[in-house]
Amino acid sequence: MKARRDRTSLTALAPFLWLGLFFLFPFLLVAKLSLSETALAMPPYAPRLDWSQGIAGLKAFLAGLDFETYARLPTDRLYVVAYLSSLKFAGVATFILLLLGYPLAYAMARCTPSVRRALLMAVILPFWTSFLIRVYALIGILKPEGLLNVALRAVGLGPVSLLNTDTAIYIGLVYAYLPFMVLPLYAVLERQQHDLLEAAADLGCTPLEAFWRVTFPLSLPGVAAGSLLCFIPMVGEFVIPDLLGGSSTLMLGKTIWTEFFANRDWPAASAVAIVLLFTLVIPIVLYQRQQAKLTELGR
Amino acid sequence: MTERSRPRLNIGAVRSTFAPWADPTAKPLVRFENVVKRFDGETAVNGVSLDIYPGEFFALLGPSGCGKTTLMRLLAGFETPDEGRVLLAGEDLAGKRPHERPVNMMFQSYALFPHLSVERNIAFGLKQQGMPKDEIAARVSEMLSLVRLDGLAKRKPHQLSGGQRQRVALARAIAPRPKMLLLDEPLAALDKKLREETQWELMALQQQLGMTFLIVTHDQEEAMVTADRIAVMRSGQIVQMGRPADVYEAPNSRYVADFIGDVNIFEGVAEHADGLSVRLASAESPQGFDIVEDDRIPLGSTAWLAVRPEKILVHLDEPPPGPNRMAGKVADIGYLGDWTTYLVELESGRTIRAARANATRFVDRPVDWDDQVWLTFARDAGVVLTQ
Ligand SMILES: Nc1ncnc2c1ncn2[C@@H]1O[C@H](COP(=O)(O)OP(=O)(O)O)[C@@H](O)[C@H]1O
Ligand SMILES: [Mg+2]
């Protein structure tokens, strides 16, 4: 009995160990960095914890930490703009994804099984190639002498310059995140009982009214899941704005990268990252609440 | 199983004067005209003609897969007939979508909207009709008390028991006051006790609302208890239609006799007819069977005699020789409390069912296993069937 209890508690401990090692520890490291100051040293920040001086060293170290970097963030236009534009990019892209993904998921849930398999495959297949390669493929399509312009010229339409514009970022975001929108939506729509629609029709609903009164409200957990699953990582997205966006495009992912590697301002980069994290905690909590609700409904 | 043995003219006689189907001037509410429905070449409904009258409680009864649900769905508009017509109040329903038909259905699965509370489920159809808010609230609370769900208005379907869900489904379907209520196996998911109670409640509800009910069931007891008329179905066709008592006491085929209640069927050859009775020569009884029979049965042809177990008497002392008499040994006794069923093995090896009501608590000489017994029945106890 005792041995058994020990084993269960060990099993329960495993995820905590994992989280502690790969989430909490790095998080504390970044948090500490954000409270430090830049210094001409290697690594480029101060204070450093000097173990040889014992408690006194720890005290000196703690005294050296402050929130100055955080205070600096809102005064620097660059950060504010990057922050707001990240939210804007992620928000607009999520909305576009919803408009595109919902009909796609709906069609997948309603079509014959063989067509459904084909569509599901088409949604999942891109995952089989590297994300980076797919973004480079997009560059190949969007660049001035790329596939898109070749095709446009063939039908007698003028060239469009999309690469290095906000439009290119939207195209990239929507393309890369579509499966994350479609799959949760598909999951809720596919699970929906057909007889509910018959009941709605029986009680006087046209097919469109039945959609708005039954199908759509029942799919809201999927809408929330898909939206948050896309929105959260898109706010911090780095690769897509970096490769597809123009040099003037500011997004937080890029800002963090620049601060870290170009400016060697590790505390600033960390502070931006922490602020981003706390902004995302709200949607993450919302997402988890939705998931709990989804499980309840799915019983 | 107790219902099957109520005396003739008493069974289903909730309203013995209610018989619009016998009135040539009465207008049916629903009329099926030679309706045929096929699925991928397989015929689910095969030429059904049927009239259901206003205020009637009509049951479609048959084994699983015989096309009952399909027939109901043709009326609700979820299926379209391949041949024939379905009329409601004289109007052809062809081309009318389900939402345009003034009939409501209670689904076998209940199909409650999981995202809506009980009251919003019930209000669903009312809102769709554009009823004003205060009227909806009044109607919903009326429905809630009608199906005895007061106090549960705010619950979600997943917070209800099976019986409560069934009531919500019922309330939701009757709330918009449809011309007709369709019930697809409404009680199938309930346990026996609740099912029996609900049968009576459904009847009371139907009377109270004056609404026409069409119930689909594979449970003969359910159909017998609730319905004014029953249509017995077999592979997409109606094989017999009538009051429960008629179908039970005067089945028109071995299939119906066997499907509704228990029955002993004896095969024989029609030997003698004096205009009043038939003598059936049979291997089961030395002097054959003597039956009062109004239909003419061609002499010399094979016929079947159907006798219900409760109409067969069990004797411990040998009765005088005569027709309708068989000797055998008690092979098994099924004691049900209110009834006892005896399985009597004849010399021929054939097992006969006889049932007796336990009208008294004590008997002088109880029938026991392996007792030698004689079985007899009256001349009018059985029905001669030719198919
Ligand atoms: N949508 C459908 N597609 C194909 N076959 C069906 C469909 N609905 C019913 N059937 C077939 O029609 C027959 C009658 O079904 P149903 O009306 O549901 O029977 P019941 O309600 O009497 O059990 C069955 O053989 C069933 O398999
Ligand atoms: Mg059925």
Side-chain angles (χ1 to χ4, degrees):
Chain A
M1 204 60 208
K2 179 116 201 308
R4 181 151 168 209
R5 179 152 357 106
D6 286 352
R7 197 164 342 126
T8 32
S9 58
L10 259 185
T11 330
L13 215 59
F16 286 104
L17 273 175
W18 176 273
L19 281 176
L21 205 62
F22 295 107
F23 178 74
L24 191 60
F25 183 64
F27 170 75
L28 288 176
L29 221 58
V30 173
K32 186 205 78 170
L33 265 176
S34 72
L35 300 175
S36 310
E37 267 163 58
T38 48
L40 280 174
M42 190 64 216
Y45 62 87
R48 311 284 316 280
L49 181 54
D50 190 352
W51 287 111
S52 57
Q53 292 182 25
I55 298 292
L58 186 64
K59 269 190 180 150
F61 166 74
L62 287 177
L65 295 180
D66 56 40
F67 286 89
E68 200 201 314
T69 319
Y70 286 97
R72 189 152 51 86
L73 291 185
T75 63
D76 193 330
R77 239 195 109 253
L78 198 72
Y79 297 131
V80 178
V81 169
Y83 188 79
L84 292 179
S85 101
S86 285
L87 291 180
K88 187 197 82 180
F89 272 110
V92 172
T94 301
F95 187 68
I96 299 173
L97 277 164
L98 205 53
L99 290 186
L100 280 177
Y102 201 103
L104 187 57
Y106 187 85
M108 274 165 61
R110 289 295 139 84
C111 61
T112 61
S114 56
V115 178
R116 175 182 306 175
R117 266 196 297 279
L119 285 175
L120 208 56
M121 207 60 197
V123 169
I124 294 169
L125 204 64
F127 279 118
W128 291 8
T129 38
S130 142
F131 174 64
L132 217 51
I133 290 177
R134 282 183 284 135
V135 176
Y136 275 109
L138 264 184
I139 295 179
I141 293 170
L142 299 178
K143 69 186 174 186
E145 65 284 11
L147 283 175
L148 181 65
N149 278 324
V150 172
L152 281 179
R153 194 165 336 113
V155 295
L157 289 172
V160 288
S161 59
L162 286 175
L163 197 60
N164 304 331
T165 63
D166 286 0
T167 314
I169 297 183
Y170 283 124
I171 292 174
L173 288 174
V174 167
Y175 165 73
Y177 284 89
L178 192 60
F180 297 101
M181 182 59 90
V182 169
L183 292 178
L185 283 173
Y186 167 74
V188 289
L189 288 171
E190 197 261 345
R191 198 165 47 196
Q192 229 169 68
Q193 301 289 320
H194 182 65
D195 58 5
L196 295 182
L197 290 183
E198 286 192 341
D202 195 56
L203 292 166
C205 286
T206 63
L208 190 67
E209 286 166 334
F211 174 83
W212 285 115
R213 292 192 68 185
V214 178
T215 309
F216 186 69
L218 278 174
S219 70
L220 280 178
V223 170
S227 299
L228 292 169
L229 220 51
C230 292
F231 181 81
I232 292 167
M234 280 196 299
V235 174
E237 181 59 51
F238 167 69
V239 174
I240 290 171
D242 191 52
L243 293 181
L244 299 178
S247 52
S248 61
T249 311
L250 284 171
M251 273 183 82
L252 280 181
K254 243 173 114 175
T255 309
I256 295 172
W257 193 91
T258 313
E259 291 301 349
F260 226 97
F261 296 103
N263 299 348
R264 293 184 62 75
D265 188 346
W266 290 19
S270 302
V272 171
I274 295 282
V275 169
L276 177 60
L277 182 78
F278 276 99
T279 322
L280 293 181
V281 160
I282 299 164
I284 287 170
V285 168
L286 278 178
Y287 172 69
Q288 282 178 340
R289 291 254 298 267
Q290 271 304 329
Q291 285 297 304
K293 216 169 176 181
L294 200 67
T295 331
E296 187 184 298
L297 267 183
R299 286 189 317 150
Chain B
M1 283 297 161
T2 56
E3 256 60 53
R4 61 165 185 251
S5 48
R6 276 185 280 170
R8 194 168 197 168
L9 297 180
N10 216 358
I11 306 178
V14 189
R15 297 181 284 174
S16 54
T17 54
F18 178 82
W21 52 88
D23 175 2
T25 62
K27 293 247 184 318
L29 178 62
V30 167
R31 165 164 275 177
F32 287 88
E33 275 181 12
N34 300 310
V35 173
V36 174
K37 176 68 191 175
R38 298 182 196 91
F39 291 110
D40 322 311
E42 201 190 322
T43 310
V45 172
N46 191 3
V48 165
S49 294
L50 174 66
D51 285 345
I52 300 172
Y53 291 86
E56 203 179 346
F57 200 135
F58 196 95
L60 288 171
L61 175 65
S64 173
C66 72
K68 308 179 296 290
T69 299
T70 306
L71 199 57
M72 184 175 266
R73 289 170 60 84
L74 283 162
L75 180 53
F78 298 122
E79 311 285 357
T80 44
D82 292 317
E83 287 171 35
R85 299 194 302 167
V86 182
L87 299 104
L88 185 75
E91 184 194 358
D92 193 343
L93 287 176
K96 280 214 172 194
R97 314 279 301 275
H99 62 90
E100 299 165 320
R101 301 188 181 199
V103 298
N104 281 352
M105 183 155 168
M106 187 187 146
F107 291 78
Q108 186 169 3
S109 60
Y110 305 153
L112 297 178
F113 303 118
H115 60 302
L116 299 180
S117 62
V118 167
E119 58 180 355
R120 294 172 117 235
N121 260 286
I122 297 174
F124 194 95
L126 305 173
K127 220 165 137 188
Q128 204 55 39
Q129 290 178 342
M131 191 185 263
K133 266 209 164 78
D134 47 339
E135 273 180 53
I136 291 184
R139 180 76 65 84
V140 167
S141 72
E142 179 194 333
M143 287 299 138
L144 282 170
S145 63
L146 198 61
V147 297
R148 297 190 288 108
L149 281 176
D150 319 73
L152 299 182
K154 305 286 180 205
R155 295 259 187 102
K156 289 280 181 68
H158 70 91
Q159 297 167 313
L160 300 175
S161 72
Q164 290 168 337
R165 266 181 239 176
Q166 191 259 1
R167 284 158 196 282
V168 178
L170 185 62
R172 185 182 69 177
I174 55 179
R177 303 260 158 88
K179 282 208 174 121
M180 186 167 186
L181 179 67
L182 314 178
L183 305 112
D184 190 359
E185 309 261 4
L187 312 179
L190 307 181
D191 57 51
K192 188 168 161 40
K193 192 96 185 160
L194 193 56
R195 193 162 64 223
E196 253 164 42
E197 273 172 40
T198 316
Q199 282 168 9
W200 298 105
E201 280 174 19
L202 273 183
M203 289 167 69
L205 193 66
Q206 191 254 353
Q207 297 280 293
Q208 202 176 332
L209 296 168
M211 204 179 271
T212 312
F213 277 27
L214 172 61
I215 189 173
V216 153
T217 176
H218 65 269
D219 183 290
Q220 49 112 357
E221 185 181 324
E222 197 171 302
M224 303 269 285
V225 172
T226 56
D228 292 308
R229 275 194 306 160
I230 295 176
V232 183
M233 289 188 69
R234 176 190 197 177
S235 352
Q237 286 177 316
I238 292 179
V239 288
Q240 189 170 6
M241 186 151 59
R243 285 173 173 274
D246 298 336
V247 177
Y248 182 78
E249 300 294 357
N252 62 6
S253 63
R254 282 177 289 159
Y255 173 82
V256 174
D258 196 35
F259 187 76
I260 300 202
D262 287 329
V263 71
N264 298 291
I265 293 180
F266 305 100
E267 189 176 323
V269 178
E271 230 178 23
H272 165 80
D274 57 9
L276 289 173
S277 67
V278 184
R279 165 71 56 86
L280 204 64
S282 170
E284 312 294 353
S285 175
Q287 291 175 43
F289 298 114
D290 233 358
I291 325 105
V292 177
E293 181 52 53
D294 22 10
D295 289 332
R296 290 285 167 280
I297 294 155
L299 290 188
S301 68
T302 302
W304 292 270
L305 174 64
V307 189
R308 302 284 184 193
E310 73 278 4
K311 300 194 174 65
I312 296 184
L313 304 176
V314 181
H315 310 266
L316 284 167
D317 302 313
E318 184 171 0
N324 304 346
R325 196 188 84 141
M326 295 159 285
K329 213 170 67 178
V330 176
D332 220 334
I333 301 176
Y335 176 73
L336 301 175
D338 48 355
W339 283 85
T340 302
T341 300
Y342 302 96
L343 297 187
V344 177
E345 196 178 314
L346 305 184
E347 276 136 28
S348 63
R350 171 81 194 277
T351 303
I352 303 296
R353 254 170 201 273
R356 198 168 71 180
N358 297 320
T360 54
R361 292 177 61 215
F362 303 101
V363 255
D364 293 338
R365 284 175 63 198
V367 178
D368 211 344
W369 268 268
D370 291 333
D371 277 353
Q372 168 73 39
V373 291
W374 287 266
L375 305 175
T376 62
F377 56 87
R379 274 179 3 117
D380 61 358
V383 194
V384 177
L385 306 170
T386 53
Q387 52 175 339

